PDB file of all heavy atoms in Angstrom:
ATOM      1  N   GLN E 171      99.227  93.431  87.965  1.00 95.00           N
ATOM      2  CA  GLN E 171      99.979  94.511  87.362  1.00 95.00           C
ATOM      3  C   GLN E 171     101.420  94.061  87.122  1.00 95.00           C
ATOM      4  O   GLN E 171     101.919  93.242  87.879  1.00 95.00           O
ATOM      5  CB  GLN E 171      99.920  95.805  88.168  1.00 95.00           C
ATOM      6  CG  GLN E 171     100.567  95.768  89.513  1.00 95.00           C
ATOM      7  CD  GLN E 171     102.022  96.206  89.520  1.00 95.00           C
ATOM      8  OE1 GLN E 171     102.431  97.017  88.725  1.00 95.00           O
ATOM      9  NE2 GLN E 171     102.771  95.628  90.386  1.00 95.00           N
ATOM     10  N   THR E 172     101.983  94.618  86.121  1.00 96.00           N
ATOM     11  CA  THR E 172     103.421  94.318  85.831  1.00 96.00           C
ATOM     12  C   THR E 172     104.073  95.547  85.187  1.00 96.00           C
ATOM     13  O   THR E 172     103.356  96.407  84.635  1.00 96.00           O
ATOM     14  CB  THR E 172     103.564  93.051  84.977  1.00 96.00           C
ATOM     15  OG1 THR E 172     104.963  92.690  84.935  1.00 96.00           O
ATOM     16  CG2 THR E 172     103.075  93.328  83.545  1.00 96.00           C
ATOM     17  N   ILE E 173     105.383  95.587  85.275  1.00 94.00           N
ATOM     18  CA  ILE E 173     106.097  96.645  84.603  1.00 94.00           C
ATOM     19  C   ILE E 173     107.050  95.945  83.603  1.00 94.00           C
ATOM     20  O   ILE E 173     107.926  95.142  84.073  1.00 94.00           O
ATOM     21  CB  ILE E 173     106.870  97.507  85.630  1.00 94.00           C
ATOM     22  CG1 ILE E 173     105.893  98.136  86.604  1.00 94.00           C
ATOM     23  CG2 ILE E 173     107.718  98.577  84.912  1.00 94.00           C
ATOM     24  CD1 ILE E 173     106.521  98.732  87.846  1.00 94.00           C
ATOM     25  N   MET E 174     106.880  96.244  82.352  1.00 91.00           N
ATOM     26  CA  MET E 174     107.753  95.725  81.312  1.00 91.00           C
ATOM     27  C   MET E 174     108.681  96.852  80.900  1.00 91.00           C
ATOM     28  O   MET E 174     108.271  97.774  80.229  1.00 91.00           O
ATOM     29  CB  MET E 174     106.933  95.253  80.113  1.00 91.00           C
ATOM     30  CG  MET E 174     106.004  94.081  80.508  1.00 91.00           C
ATOM     31  SD  MET E 174     105.054  93.427  79.112  1.00 91.00           S
ATOM     32  CE  MET E 174     104.070  94.868  78.650  1.00 91.00           C
ATOM     33  N   GLN E 175     109.947  96.747  81.379  1.00 91.00           N
ATOM     34  CA  GLN E 175     110.907  97.845  81.270  1.00 91.00           C
ATOM     35  C   GLN E 175     110.315  99.040  82.002  1.00 91.00           C
ATOM     36  O   GLN E 175     110.209  99.003  83.184  1.00 91.00           O
ATOM     37  CB  GLN E 175     111.340  98.063  79.838  1.00 91.00           C
ATOM     38  CG  GLN E 175     112.045  96.864  79.249  1.00 91.00           C
ATOM     39  CD  GLN E 175     112.572  97.097  77.883  1.00 91.00           C
ATOM     40  OE1 GLN E 175     112.593  98.220  77.379  1.00 91.00           O
ATOM     41  NE2 GLN E 175     113.084  96.001  77.320  1.00 91.00           N
ATOM     42  N   ASP E 176     109.931 100.069  81.319  1.00 90.00           N
ATOM     43  CA  ASP E 176     109.294 101.198  82.046  1.00 90.00           C
ATOM     44  C   ASP E 176     107.833 101.398  81.639  1.00 90.00           C
ATOM     45  O   ASP E 176     107.266 102.449  81.887  1.00 90.00           O
ATOM     46  CB  ASP E 176     110.111 102.492  81.822  1.00 90.00           C
ATOM     47  CG  ASP E 176     110.089 102.970  80.390  1.00 90.00           C
ATOM     48  OD1 ASP E 176     109.728 102.208  79.526  1.00 90.00           O
ATOM     49  OD2 ASP E 176     110.408 104.156  80.176  1.00 90.00           O
ATOM     50  N   VAL E 177     107.195 100.329  81.094  1.00 95.00           N
ATOM     51  CA  VAL E 177     105.810 100.392  80.733  1.00 95.00           C
ATOM     52  C   VAL E 177     104.982  99.686  81.817  1.00 95.00           C
ATOM     53  O   VAL E 177     105.172  98.488  82.076  1.00 95.00           O
ATOM     54  CB  VAL E 177     105.571  99.781  79.364  1.00 95.00           C
ATOM     55  CG1 VAL E 177     104.063  99.796  78.999  1.00 95.00           C
ATOM     56  CG2 VAL E 177     106.352 100.505  78.283  1.00 95.00           C
ATOM     57  N   PHE E 178     104.046 100.446  82.411  1.00 97.00           N
ATOM     58  CA  PHE E 178     103.189  99.938  83.425  1.00 97.00           C
ATOM     59  C   PHE E 178     101.933  99.322  82.792  1.00 97.00           C
ATOM     60  O   PHE E 178     101.315  99.967  81.936  1.00 97.00           O
ATOM     61  CB  PHE E 178     102.780 101.019  84.368  1.00 97.00           C
ATOM     62  CG  PHE E 178     101.823 100.615  85.466  1.00 97.00           C
ATOM     63  CD1 PHE E 178     102.319 100.147  86.686  1.00 97.00           C
ATOM     64  CD2 PHE E 178     100.454 100.695  85.291  1.00 97.00           C
ATOM     65  CE1 PHE E 178     101.472  99.778  87.690  1.00 97.00           C
ATOM     66  CE2 PHE E 178      99.615 100.297  86.320  1.00 97.00           C
ATOM     67  CZ  PHE E 178     100.107  99.831  87.502  1.00 97.00           C
ATOM     68  N   THR E 179     101.531  98.142  83.158  1.00 97.00           N
ATOM     69  CA  THR E 179     100.265  97.535  82.701  1.00 97.00           C
ATOM     70  C   THR E 179      99.529  96.973  83.904  1.00 97.00           C
ATOM     71  O   THR E 179     100.132  96.427  84.838  1.00 97.00           O
ATOM     72  CB  THR E 179     100.520  96.408  81.715  1.00 97.00           C
ATOM     73  OG1 THR E 179     101.287  95.330  82.384  1.00 97.00           O
ATOM     74  CG2 THR E 179     101.254  96.890  80.461  1.00 97.00           C
ATOM     75  N   MET E 180      98.239  97.180  83.922  1.00 97.00           N
ATOM     76  CA  MET E 180      97.387  96.697  85.013  1.00 97.00           C
ATOM     77  C   MET E 180      96.032  96.263  84.471  1.00 97.00           C
ATOM     78  O   MET E 180      95.475  96.964  83.593  1.00 97.00           O
ATOM     79  CB  MET E 180      97.184  97.754  86.060  1.00 97.00           C
ATOM     80  CG  MET E 180      96.350  97.306  87.239  1.00 97.00           C
ATOM     81  SD  MET E 180      96.394  98.480  88.604  1.00 97.00           S
ATOM     82  CE  MET E 180      95.239  99.721  88.037  1.00 97.00           C
ATOM     83  N   ILE E 181      95.549  95.137  84.935  1.00 97.00           N
ATOM     84  CA  ILE E 181      94.174  94.689  84.596  1.00 97.00           C
ATOM     85  C   ILE E 181      93.472  94.411  85.930  1.00 97.00           C
ATOM     86  O   ILE E 181      94.030  93.742  86.804  1.00 97.00           O
ATOM     87  CB  ILE E 181      94.177  93.366  83.758  1.00 97.00           C
ATOM     88  CG1 ILE E 181      94.953  93.635  82.419  1.00 97.00           C
ATOM     89  CG2 ILE E 181      92.779  92.941  83.468  1.00 97.00           C
ATOM     90  CD1 ILE E 181      95.155  92.375  81.635  1.00 97.00           C
ATOM     91  N   THR E 182      92.327  95.014  86.081  1.00 97.00           N
ATOM     92  CA  THR E 182      91.574  94.918  87.325  1.00 97.00           C
ATOM     93  C   THR E 182      90.132  94.468  87.058  1.00 97.00           C
ATOM     94  O   THR E 182      89.482  95.017  86.212  1.00 97.00           O
ATOM     95  CB  THR E 182      91.560  96.299  88.036  1.00 97.00           C
ATOM     96  OG1 THR E 182      92.881  96.772  88.115  1.00 97.00           O
ATOM     97  CG2 THR E 182      90.958  96.189  89.410  1.00 97.00           C
ATOM     98  N   LEU E 183      89.676  93.445  87.772  1.00 97.00           N
ATOM     99  CA  LEU E 183      88.303  93.013  87.696  1.00 97.00           C
ATOM    100  C   LEU E 183      87.599  93.616  88.919  1.00 97.00           C
ATOM    101  O   LEU E 183      88.094  93.510  90.049  1.00 97.00           O
ATOM    102  CB  LEU E 183      88.229  91.491  87.787  1.00 97.00           C
ATOM    103  CG  LEU E 183      86.819  90.878  87.734  1.00 97.00           C
ATOM    104  CD1 LEU E 183      86.155  91.174  86.400  1.00 97.00           C
ATOM    105  CD2 LEU E 183      86.847  89.388  88.009  1.00 97.00           C
ATOM    106  N   VAL E 184      86.507  94.340  88.628  1.00 98.00           N
ATOM    107  CA  VAL E 184      85.802  95.052  89.695  1.00 98.00           C
ATOM    108  C   VAL E 184      84.326  94.694  89.689  1.00 98.00           C
ATOM    109  O   VAL E 184      83.750  94.277  88.687  1.00 98.00           O
ATOM    110  CB  VAL E 184      85.950  96.573  89.565  1.00 98.00           C
ATOM    111  CG1 VAL E 184      87.422  96.991  89.739  1.00 98.00           C
ATOM    112  CG2 VAL E 184      85.443  97.091  88.272  1.00 98.00           C
ATOM    113  N   ASP E 185      83.708  94.816  90.873  1.00 98.00           N
ATOM    114  CA  ASP E 185      82.281  94.654  91.041  1.00 98.00           C
ATOM    115  C   ASP E 185      81.674  96.039  91.080  1.00 98.00           C
ATOM    116  O   ASP E 185      81.936  96.825  91.978  1.00 98.00           O
ATOM    117  CB  ASP E 185      82.004  93.900  92.363  1.00 98.00           C
ATOM    118  CG  ASP E 185      80.552  93.661  92.592  1.00 98.00           C
ATOM    119  OD1 ASP E 185      79.685  94.165  91.799  1.00 98.00           O
ATOM    120  OD2 ASP E 185      80.225  92.963  93.598  1.00 98.00           O
ATOM    121  N   ILE E 186      80.811  96.325  90.044  1.00 98.00           N
ATOM    122  CA  ILE E 186      80.202  97.656  89.930  1.00 98.00           C
ATOM    123  C   ILE E 186      78.772  97.662  90.389  1.00 98.00           C
ATOM    124  O   ILE E 186      78.071  98.695  90.243  1.00 98.00           O
ATOM    125  CB  ILE E 186      80.354  98.238  88.530  1.00 98.00           C
ATOM    126  CG1 ILE E 186      79.716  97.305  87.492  1.00 98.00           C
ATOM    127  CG2 ILE E 186      81.817  98.502  88.229  1.00 98.00           C
ATOM    128  CD1 ILE E 186      79.656  97.886  86.100  1.00 98.00           C
ATOM    129  N   SER E 187      78.331  96.552  90.972  1.00 97.00           N
ATOM    130  CA  SER E 187      76.900  96.491  91.357  1.00 97.00           C
ATOM    131  C   SER E 187      76.493  97.501  92.415  1.00 97.00           C
ATOM    132  O   SER E 187      75.352  97.898  92.503  1.00 97.00           O
ATOM    133  CB  SER E 187      76.548  95.092  91.800  1.00 97.00           C
ATOM    134  OG  SER E 187      77.306  94.634  92.849  1.00 97.00           O
ATOM    135  N   GLY E 188      77.469  97.902  93.290  1.00 97.00           N
ATOM    136  CA  GLY E 188      77.205  98.885  94.320  1.00 97.00           C
ATOM    137  C   GLY E 188      77.635 100.270  93.982  1.00 97.00           C
ATOM    138  O   GLY E 188      77.625 101.183  94.813  1.00 97.00           O
ATOM    139  N   CYS E 189      78.060 100.467  92.687  1.00 98.00           N
ATOM    140  CA  CYS E 189      78.589 101.807  92.316  1.00 98.00           C
ATOM    141  C   CYS E 189      77.563 102.887  92.519  1.00 98.00           C
ATOM    142  O   CYS E 189      76.378 102.742  92.165  1.00 98.00           O
ATOM    143  CB  CYS E 189      78.969 101.737  90.835  1.00 98.00           C
ATOM    144  SG  CYS E 189      79.868 103.170  90.255  1.00 98.00           S
ATOM    145  N   ASN E 190      78.019 104.011  93.125  1.00 97.00           N
ATOM    146  CA  ASN E 190      77.060 105.088  93.484  1.00 97.00           C
ATOM    147  C   ASN E 190      76.991 106.202  92.490  1.00 97.00           C
ATOM    148  O   ASN E 190      76.447 107.266  92.690  1.00 97.00           O
ATOM    149  CB  ASN E 190      77.390 105.645  94.884  1.00 97.00           C
ATOM    150  CG  ASN E 190      78.841 106.112  94.980  1.00 97.00           C
ATOM    151  OD1 ASN E 190      79.493 106.429  93.990  1.00 97.00           O
ATOM    152  ND2 ASN E 190      79.364 106.202  96.200  1.00 97.00           N
ATOM    153  N   ILE E 191      77.621 105.991  91.268  1.00 98.00           N
ATOM    154  CA  ILE E 191      77.528 106.938  90.189  1.00 98.00           C
ATOM    155  C   ILE E 191      77.279 106.158  88.890  1.00 98.00           C
ATOM    156  O   ILE E 191      77.559 104.938  88.830  1.00 98.00           O
ATOM    157  CB  ILE E 191      78.837 107.754  90.029  1.00 98.00           C
ATOM    158  CG1 ILE E 191      80.048 106.892  89.795  1.00 98.00           C
ATOM    159  CG2 ILE E 191      79.006 108.725  91.211  1.00 98.00           C
ATOM    160  CD1 ILE E 191      81.338 107.661  89.540  1.00 98.00           C
ATOM    161  N   PRO E 192      76.688 106.792  87.874  1.00 97.00           N
ATOM    162  CA  PRO E 192      76.488 106.094  86.573  1.00 97.00           C
ATOM    163  C   PRO E 192      77.775 105.586  85.984  1.00 97.00           C
ATOM    164  O   PRO E 192      78.840 106.168  86.154  1.00 97.00           O
ATOM    165  CB  PRO E 192      75.825 107.166  85.706  1.00 97.00           C
ATOM    166  CG  PRO E 192      75.241 108.160  86.683  1.00 97.00           C
ATOM    167  CD  PRO E 192      76.150 108.157  87.894  1.00 97.00           C
ATOM    168  N   PHE E 193      77.652 104.511  85.209  1.00 97.00           N
ATOM    169  CA  PHE E 193      78.890 103.891  84.624  1.00 97.00           C
ATOM    170  C   PHE E 193      79.636 104.883  83.759  1.00 97.00           C
ATOM    171  O   PHE E 193      80.873 104.944  83.780  1.00 97.00           O
ATOM    172  CB  PHE E 193      78.437 102.651  83.779  1.00 97.00           C
ATOM    173  CG  PHE E 193      79.620 101.888  83.220  1.00 97.00           C
ATOM    174  CD1 PHE E 193      80.313 100.974  84.015  1.00 97.00           C
ATOM    175  CD2 PHE E 193      80.019 102.109  81.911  1.00 97.00           C
ATOM    176  CE1 PHE E 193      81.385 100.299  83.472  1.00 97.00           C
ATOM    177  CE2 PHE E 193      81.088 101.425  81.387  1.00 97.00           C
ATOM    178  CZ  PHE E 193      81.760 100.501  82.178  1.00 97.00           C
TER     179      PHE E 193
END
Side-chain angles (χ1 to χ4, degrees):
Q171 66 90 31
T172 191
I173 300 166
M174 298 182 296
Q175 295 186 9
D176 66 344
V177 177
F178 179 89
T179 61
M180 181 171 77
I181 301 172
T182 308
L183 180 65
V184 296
D185 181 354
I186 57 173
S187 58
C189 188
N190 57 21
I191 58 175
F193 185 82

